[in-house]
Amino acid sequence: MDSLILRTATRLLLALMILFSIFILWRGHNEPGGGFVGGLICAVAFALHALAFGVKEMKRLLVVDPRSLLGGGLLLGILSGFFAGPGGDPFMTARWIIFKDATGAKGLALGTPVLFDIGVYLVVVGALLAMVQALMEED
């Protein structure tokens, strides 16, 4: 598609959509859907870029093959479940690391659900972009 309006809008929206997808990923890490919805938003941003500029430009911008993103996300999601093993808990039981601030009050809490959501995010982005790439590539 050769549209000046689409190309201009895509240049403006791409970074905003990716930042918003990361916000949704982070905000939703304690709630259902953060990784999935964030991954959808990121994949739509790159699909919009492919529609405006072509698949070759999307590949150049993405740098990593979408299938590698999918595999890495799947691996990360599975590995996040093994952190419960040393404590004798069942697979995929959440584990948390709580960082305290200088006063000793509870600060940032990071846990295995965050790793799982990042894995889901990468799987969704990789799967959707692999489909977009396959459907939009020209022979």
Side-chain angles (χ1 to χ4, degrees):
M1 181 177 289
D2 190 27
S3 170
L4 178 64
I5 295 171
L6 180 61
R7 287 194 311 263
T8 304
T10 299
R11 282 187 190 107
L12 296 172
L13 289 175
L14 182 69
L16 289 174
M17 289 177 75
I18 292 171
L19 284 173
F20 184 63
S21 76
I22 292 170
F23 169 76
I24 294 294
L25 168 68
W26 184 253
R27 178 65 186 104
H29 79 278
N30 282 334
E31 300 168 4
F36 185 78
V37 174
L40 285 176
I41 294 169
C42 182
V44 167
F46 281 105
L48 182 64
H49 191 272
L51 185 63
F53 296 102
V55 176
K56 286 183 182 178
E57 282 298 311
M58 182 193 79
K59 285 181 183 179
R60 187 188 62 76
L61 185 65
L62 191 57
V63 179
V64 179
D65 183 47
R67 292 172 296 188
S68 297
L69 284 176
L70 194 154
L74 191 58
L75 183 65
L76 185 62
I78 291 171
L79 287 177
S80 70
F82 286 111
F83 284 98
D89 291 325
F91 183 71
M92 294 296 266
T93 301
R95 291 282 179 225
W96 295 91
I97 297 173
I98 300 172
F99 297 98
K100 296 184 179 187
D101 61 9
T103 63
K106 182 179 175 184
L108 180 66
L110 293 176
T112 55
V114 177
L115 291 177
F116 181 77
D117 267 346
I118 292 171
V120 169
Y121 180 92
L122 292 174
V123 166
V124 170
V125 170
L128 289 177
L129 289 182
M131 286 186 259
V132 165
Q133 182 177 327
L135 290 171
M136 289 183 72
E137 277 184 335
E138 298 175 14
D139 291 327

